[in-house]
């Protein structure tokens, strides 16, 4: 049986004594910290990075950056006196200014992270959030089929999912990636 740590008990006591409502920045910060201590963000990061290099958005971005760098370097003549650090920093700045990274990363997130949110990340986040808010009363067992249906049948676009607090943490997670 899972026994809550003293830190969890004190944190929970702080939440109840402070009367923090769902969505309160302090409560969100405490739960995000708890998720981090549980290793959830690291696990999500590993899961996403494991298959990122197979996705078309990543391969496309890599090709675009490689071509950009090759074209830029073709305009320079190599010499032993060439300041490679300055050239490298100049290329880095040009790539950042081009906007191709922002566009490419958005596409990568859409192909790698978005498909995992409702079926993989959300149930795990909700389980840890429930454990954080009610230590000792949550079982380690998987979600029941009724809960899974609620999670997979997300609300209409623009509405909060059934558990708005979990949505906040998923949103917070997606901003940390």
């Amino acid at each position: 049986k899972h026994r809550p740590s003293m830190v969890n008990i004190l944190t929970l006591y702080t939440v109840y004594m402070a009367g923090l409502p769902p969505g309160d920045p302090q409560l969100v910060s405490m739960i995000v910290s708890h998720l981090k201590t549980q290793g959830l963000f690291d696990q999500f990061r590993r899961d996403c990075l494991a298959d990122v290099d197979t996705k078309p958005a990543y391969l496309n971005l890599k090709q675009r950056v490689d071509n950009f760098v090759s074209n830029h370097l073709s305009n320079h003549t190599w010499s032993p006196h060439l300041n490679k650090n300055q050239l490298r920093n100049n290329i880095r700045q040009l790539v950042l200014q081009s906007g191709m990274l922002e566009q490419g990363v958005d596409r990568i997130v859409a192909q790698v992270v978005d498909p995992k949110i409702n079926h993989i990340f959300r149930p795990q986040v909700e389980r840890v959030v429930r454990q954080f808010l009610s230590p000792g009363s949550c079982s380690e067992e998987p979600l029941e089929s009724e809960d899974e249906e609620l999670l997979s049948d997300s609300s209409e676009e623009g509405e909060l999912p059934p558990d708005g607090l979990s949505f906040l943490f998923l949103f917070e997670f997606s901003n940390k990636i």
Side-chain angles (χ1 to χ4, degrees):
K1 186 85 176 159
H2 172 72
R3 222 174 136 215
S5 71
M6 190 58 162
V7 172
N8 285 349
I9 291 170
L10 290 174
T11 302
L12 185 61
Y13 178 76
T14 303
V15 169
Y16 285 130
M17 292 309 290
L20 298 175
D24 180 272
Q26 185 179 357
L27 178 60
V28 170
S29 176
M30 289 168 36
I31 294 178
V32 167
S33 293
H34 180 71
L35 291 169
K36 287 179 180 179
T37 63
Q38 298 296 308
L40 217 49
F41 285 122
D42 291 334
Q43 178 187 339
F44 292 166
R45 189 177 300 115
R46 279 191 305 272
D47 290 349
C48 290
L49 289 176
D51 65 347
V52 74
D53 61 350
T54 63
K55 300 297 182 189
Y58 170 81
L59 298 171
N60 183 309
L61 179 60
K62 183 179 183 320
Q63 184 66 44
R64 289 178 66 202
V65 170
D66 287 347
N67 289 340
F68 186 89
V69 170
S70 294
N71 288 338
H72 186 75
L73 289 175
S74 69
N75 297 327
H76 294 277
T77 306
W78 187 88
S79 76
H81 305 292
L82 183 68
N83 186 337
K84 290 184 259 183
N85 286 334
Q86 184 179 10
L87 181 59
R88 186 179 303 117
N89 287 334
N90 185 24
I91 292 172
R92 183 178 294 124
Q93 287 301 315
L94 291 171
V95 167
L96 289 173
Q97 291 169 359
S98 74
M100 77 174 89
L101 287 182
E102 279 184 33
Q103 263 183 346
V105 169
D106 287 345
R107 290 183 185 133
I108 291 169
V109 168
Q111 289 180 6
V112 176
V113 178
D114 291 353
K116 296 176 190 253
I117 285 181
N118 283 329
H119 301 292
I120 297 173
F121 300 158
R122 184 174 175 178
Q124 292 180 43
V125 167
E126 287 180 343
R127 178 182 51 78
V128 173
V129 168
R130 280 194 303 267
Q131 288 173 347
F132 176 82
L133 293 175
S134 302
S137 67
C138 293
S139 68
E140 293 290 326
E141 298 184 20
L143 296 172
E144 296 174 12
S145 60
E146 184 180 305
D147 289 339
E148 288 174 356
E149 287 176 24
L150 279 175
L151 294 176
S152 62
D153 296 339
S154 54
S155 304
E156 301 269 334
E157 184 110 4
E159 292 182 21
L160 284 177
D163 183 350
L165 189 59
S166 295
F167 177 78
L168 283 171
F169 299 113
L170 290 173
F171 179 77
E172 184 74 18
F173 168 72
S174 67
N175 286 333
K176 302 279 186 207
I177 294 183

